[in-house]
Each structure stands twice: as C-alpha cells, then as structure tokens.
Amino acid sequence: MNTFHWKVPLGGLSGQDNPMLHEAAQLLREGELVAFPTETVYGLGADAANPAAVEAIFAAKGRPSDNPLIVHIADRSQLTALCRNVPPLAERLMDAFWPGPLTFVLPVRPEAVSGRVTAGLDTVAVRMPDHPAALALIRQSGRYIAAPSANRSGRPSPTRAEHVLEDLDGRICGIVDAGPTGLGLESTVIQLEGDVLHVLRPGGITAEQLQAVCGEKIHVVVSEGPAPAADAPSAMREASDEQVNRVEGQAVISTPDLEAPRSPGMKYTHYAPAGQMILVTGERPQQVLAKLQQLVNEAKQQGHRTAVLAFADEVPLLTADVVLGCGADGQLEPLAAQLYHALRFFDEAGATFIAARGCRRTGIGHALLNRMEKAAGHRIEQV
Ligand code: TXA
Ligand code: MG
C-alpha cells in the first residue's frame, strides 16, 4: 500500500475547504486508516462505527485486542448518541478543558461504535482534540473517529509525521502532516466514580488543574496502571520478565499498587526505546548528574553505545556517545514536547544504554515521569 502524505500548512486551515482534508475525510468514511496530528501526539484514525476499519487499526499497530481506543469528536453534540449519560461534573470539566488533552471514560451506547473500540467494556473513552487539522478532519468525516497513538505497539508515541511513517509507512492509507505536535505527551484519561475522580493515565491536564475545577467535595486520585498481572497474556509477561532480568545493581523496580487494571492500556509495555534505559531520580542535581555519569561510564566499559537525556543546561557537564538536553527543572514543557523524539533519536543513533534524568513530580512532571518510568521498564535509581 502507498501511504498518502498530505502536508497541511497549519495557518491554512481556517476554512473548511482544504482539498487535502476533504480527501482524507472521504477515505475515513470509506473505512480507510488515516493518521492525523493532535495537540498531544499523532493519532491513527478510523471510523469508530466500522468494525473492519477498527480491526485494521489493531492490525496496523500490532495492538493487543483487549486495549480499547479513544473516540475523537469535534463537537459536543456528538456526545448524545455516543454516551448514555454525561454527569454534570464531566460537563464542567469539558467546559474547562475541551478542546484539549483530557479524555473522559463514560457509559457507552453500544450501538454507536464497534465493540472492538471499547474492547467489550460498557464504557467508551472520548476526547475533543485541540488541533485545527484534527477538528476539521473529524468534522468533515461526519463520523466518530477512533484513534490510538499512531505508533507500532510498544514504540514511543509519534510527535512528528516522520515518526508515524517510520512505524506505519505502507501499512496505512495516509497521513495528514501538520508538523510537530505541541504538548508531546498523551491526554489525561479520567473516570468519575461517586465522589472520586480517577486519573487513569496522567497527561496534559494535571491533577491540580482537575482538582481546581472539581472543588473540594471531589477527590482527584491518580491511580496509574498496575504492573502486569500473573494472568496477563503471555506475550506481555515475557516482555516484562525480560525487562526485570535486565535490572542490575541497586536498580529498583517500581510496581504501582493498583488492584485492577482500570485502564487496560496501562498494563502494557510502552514507549520503549530499543536500548536499555534507566531513570535516575533525586532531589540534588549534582548527585543525579554524578549517578548518570557513573552509569554511563560503567555501561561504556561493558561495550555499550551510551546516551544521556538531561536538562539543557546540564549537557556540558555530561559525557556519553550521545547527550541530549531539553527543558529545565522549572520548565518541563520542552522536555515533554521532545521526550518521544529523543527516545526515537537514541534508537537511530544506535544507543544500547540510555541514562535519563527524572524530574519533579509536579504539573506535567507527573505525566513525564509516568512515561519515562515505562520507557525504562521501571528500572529506576534513586539518589
Ligand atoms: O492524546 C491521546 O490520548 C492520543 C491522541 C491520538 O488522542 N491517543 C492515545 O490513545 O494516546 P492510546 O490508544 O494510545 O491510549 C488510550 C488509553 C489506553 O491506555 C486505553 O487503555 C485507555 O485510553 N482507554 C480507552 N478506552 C478506555 C475505557 N473504556 N476505559 C478505560 N480506559 C480506556
Ligand atoms: Mg498509545
């Protein structure tokens, strides 16, 4: 299959009459797969009501079939036919954060989408992306668009059209390319249960922002996904066992304590670069840097091609085959925007050992650490 590549100038999207988006929307209606930019990462879109189209998403990505998809809408009026009930608090959060990187898990009307979208759950995840190309494409398609991140399963999510093509060229019908995405990390996934708002996946909207809108009667609880359960599919267990075996020295395996996988996707191996990655966290920058350098030196002695990811101003202080710096302690947004690109870059550079610096667990730092811990297969050194 030849993958169409529509380069859409961001500034030229004010009208609804972009012929490239018309073509892409028409192909979506015909059941084809079209990747498109959002403000978080590129998504791999398909008509959510077309079972064959949704099936094709799982095939193209190599995605486990029990991992449900997020449905993307362009208009709040689309919710009525998609969800049985939208609680008033959800409406308030939509007022505050839509369009934007916030995904709601709501009771589904099963007739509205293919059963593969919800993976048999009685809920559906919904979001309205804050990107002019995404909104125009969804609107013109006139459909609900199911869209996971447009990467091969297990790889870092794509924040540039090149990343999508690296993983899916020839496997999908087309890609709408509007340049790099802004935020760089996926949306926050939430589910309301009584007076508790569960954050199933930390993301672009922080727990602090949610709490501010919810008020003090609602408890915002960040319940990140669990480690693979004993009864997990074997492919998944193997992936994670392999990671555990690679743990050396004093590295700690963190196993978030959650009773059940509320958000099925959180249990899978994610964002993994090809090289072995370790995350170094700590309060004192000098100790963190010393540990990063020590780990790199040891890996170098063992014959590894080494890489380090740190803050921009720390780059001159570190030595490795590849050193990347982004953002700063008090400014994590650039690191969030570049994290997945950096992980893919390390792969391209042939790095077999990657030491990455952790950050504070505040604001976007929560989502950043969540992704970095997963990329590192939960190999974490605390200093
Ligand atoms: O920013 C994003 O959310 C991007 C862009 C493309 O919108 N999409 C994305 O999709 O990250 P994906 O498929 O990579 O992640 C969807 C997450 C998974 O962790 C999945 O398990 C969870 O949402 N999810 C989907 N439906 C769910 C449901 N009904 N209940 C609980 N979790 C659900
Ligand atoms: Mg994904």
Side-chain angles (χ1 to χ4, degrees):
M1 182 190 295
N2 255 337
T3 300
F4 289 111
H5 190 166
W6 299 284
K7 287 204 177 172
V8 181
L10 248 193
L13 279 172
S14 45
Q16 293 283 308
D17 48 2
N18 186 310
M20 290 185 278
L21 288 183
H22 272 299
E23 194 179 355
Q26 176 61 31
L27 288 163
L28 279 172
R29 278 194 297 274
E30 290 170 9
E32 299 288 352
L33 302 186
V34 173
F36 62 94
T38 78
E39 80 282 31
T40 59
V41 301
Y42 273 78
L44 179 58
D47 176 355
N50 180 333
V54 174
E55 183 65 43
I57 287 183
F58 285 89
K61 277 182 63 90
R63 181 178 174 105
S65 60
D66 68 344
N67 194 1
L69 305 176
I70 296 175
V71 172
H72 294 64
I73 61 173
D75 212 296
R76 290 265 287 268
S77 63
Q78 286 185 286
L79 280 176
T80 324
L82 182 62
C83 304
R84 278 181 279 125
N85 170 36
V86 181
L89 178 60
E91 299 266 11
R92 263 174 42 221
L93 290 165
M94 287 170 192
D95 290 341
F97 299 115
W98 270 10
L102 185 62
T103 296
F104 294 79
V105 173
L106 294 167
V108 67
R109 284 188 201 282
E111 66 280 11
V113 291
S114 155
R116 292 299 302 274
V117 169
T118 58
L121 299 173
D122 60 1
T123 53
V124 63
V126 196
R127 101 173 181 98
M128 188 190 293
D130 187 14
H131 193 291
L135 291 171
L137 181 68
I138 298 165
R139 215 164 264 140
Q140 285 180 32
S141 75
R143 304 290 158 89
Y144 301 117
I145 300 300
S149 49
N151 50 285
R152 292 276 295 165
S153 219
R155 296 265 292 146
S157 295
T159 50
R160 303 175 180 210
E162 302 88 274
H163 300 164
V164 177
L165 292 170
E166 253 167 50
D167 282 14
L168 298 173
D169 196 12
R171 305 177 71 94
I172 62 175
C173 179
I175 173 166
V176 174
D177 175 357
T181 59
L183 195 62
L185 299 179
E186 300 85 345
S187 63
T188 305
V189 180
I190 58 170
Q191 185 167 22
L192 189 60
E193 207 176 51
D195 60 359
V196 178
L197 186 76
H198 295 277
V199 177
L200 306 182
R201 177 177 73 180
I205 301 294
T206 65
E208 295 93 321
Q209 286 175 291
L210 293 169
Q211 189 71 69
V213 172
C214 287
E216 56 195 27
K217 288 198 183 128
I218 300 290
H219 306 284
V220 177
V221 175
V222 182
S223 42
E224 292 168 33
D231 60 353
S234 58
M236 204 175 86
R237 267 207 319 274
E238 278 157 26
S240 115
D241 286 346
E242 187 199 335
Q243 287 171 350
V244 173
N245 291 339
R246 279 195 260 138
V247 173
E248 282 156 22
Q250 314 152 9
V252 175
I253 308 167
S254 84
T255 46
D257 51 338
L258 188 78
E259 66 297 349
R262 287 176 174 281
S263 188
M266 298 304 281
K267 69 189 177 193
Y268 290 104
T269 304
H270 268 309
Y271 320 114
Q276 169 185 333
M277 177 163 154
I278 187 157
L279 185 63
V280 178
T281 60
E283 290 294 314
R284 275 164 292 185
Q286 285 200 344
Q287 286 188 357
V288 172
L289 291 185
K291 178 55 82 176
L292 287 170
Q293 193 62 62
Q294 180 202 330
L295 290 168
V296 164
N297 293 346
E298 285 168 10
K300 191 78 197 159
Q301 270 175 7
Q302 290 165 18
H304 279 287
R305 184 163 165 77
T306 57
V308 188
L309 179 61
F311 292 137
D313 63 354
E314 295 168 339
V315 169
L317 308 173
L318 292 159
T319 309
D321 294 316
V322 187
V323 182
L324 282 186
C326 271
D329 192 20
Q331 204 201 0
L332 297 175
E333 288 75 15
L335 182 56
Q338 297 297 329
L339 175 68
Y340 293 143
H341 182 61
L343 296 179
R344 283 175 181 263
F345 182 83
F346 291 145
D347 279 358
E348 257 175 56
T352 57
F353 179 88
I354 302 156
R357 163 206 229 304
C359 61
R360 288 173 203 272
R361 206 177 282 275
T362 54
I364 193 73
H366 203 108
L368 248 175
L369 279 174
N370 169 273
R371 306 306 192 272
M372 288 175 119
E373 285 166 3
K374 288 197 153 85
H378 296 285
R379 281 179 299 273
I380 301 162
E381 284 261 5
Q382 183 138 22
V383 292

